[in-house]
Amino acid sequence: MFGIPLQDRRAVLFRPSVISVVDDDASVRASMNNLLQSLGYVVHTFASAEEFLGSACLNDTSCVISDVQMSPMNGLDLLAQMRMQGRTTPFIFITAFPDESVRAHALKAGAMSFLAKPCATPNLIACINAALAHRDGGGD
């Protein structure tokens, strides 16, 4: 590491987390992108679960923020597909239709958080921080 120039070492040590936003609503993707970029994250947005699964960003994603109700593959199916692939990427679900049974299913399947749209920015930030801390070994 000491043979690497200082500016390159800083880039390695302080690499921002990559957040992938998967939502079929363009306005949600745009607002999430703007918010998360303003917080210093690298953000990739996807209009569908299939688009995300087929992307080159899959391996670099630190956290997924996904809508629940999308078609043809919904957010819960996306989470299940990623877990079947052995991926442990933290998931935060957001939905305009919060339902307790769906929430329970999402959390049981491995989601870190389940938020109702529109979600309050401080709540979303707290969920992202918890998900990233968990991914980095700081959580349970």
Side-chain angles (χ1 to χ4, degrees):
M1 181 106 180
F2 292 110
I4 300 171
L6 179 60
Q7 67 273 16
D8 292 339
R9 277 187 275 157
R10 285 187 184 137
V12 169
L13 295 174
F14 301 108
R15 185 175 307 143
S17 296
V18 176
I19 309 292
S20 289
V21 177
V22 184
D23 199 301
D24 55 1
D25 184 329
S27 64
V28 171
R29 290 192 310 272
S31 64
M32 285 282 199
N33 182 66
N34 292 340
L35 170 66
L36 297 171
Q37 281 186 347
S38 75
L39 296 171
Y41 295 109
V42 173
V43 183
H44 299 288
T45 62
F46 303 92
S48 70
E50 296 85 0
E51 183 183 346
F52 173 60
L53 287 171
S55 77
C57 301
L58 199 56
N59 292 327
D60 298 329
T61 296
S62 306
C63 180
V64 174
I65 299 174
S66 177
D67 189 10
V68 174
Q69 293 189 335
M70 300 180 290
S71 74
M73 180 185 283
N74 68 37
L76 296 171
D77 292 338
L78 171 60
L79 173 59
Q81 179 68 33
M82 290 188 65
R83 294 304 186 250
M84 285 188 333
Q85 293 176 0
R87 299 181 187 280
T88 59
T89 311
F91 260 73
I92 297 170
F93 281 114
I94 55 173
T95 183
F97 305 99
D99 176 270
E100 188 53 40
S101 65
V102 175
R103 179 184 182 280
H105 179 75
L107 295 175
K108 184 176 181 181
M112 295 288 301
S113 302
F114 190 91
L115 301 170
K117 290 180 186 176
C119 52
T121 299
N123 292 347
L124 178 61
I125 293 169
C127 290
I128 292 169
N129 288 339
L132 294 175
H134 186 270
R135 181 208 60 179
D136 293 336
D140 296 327

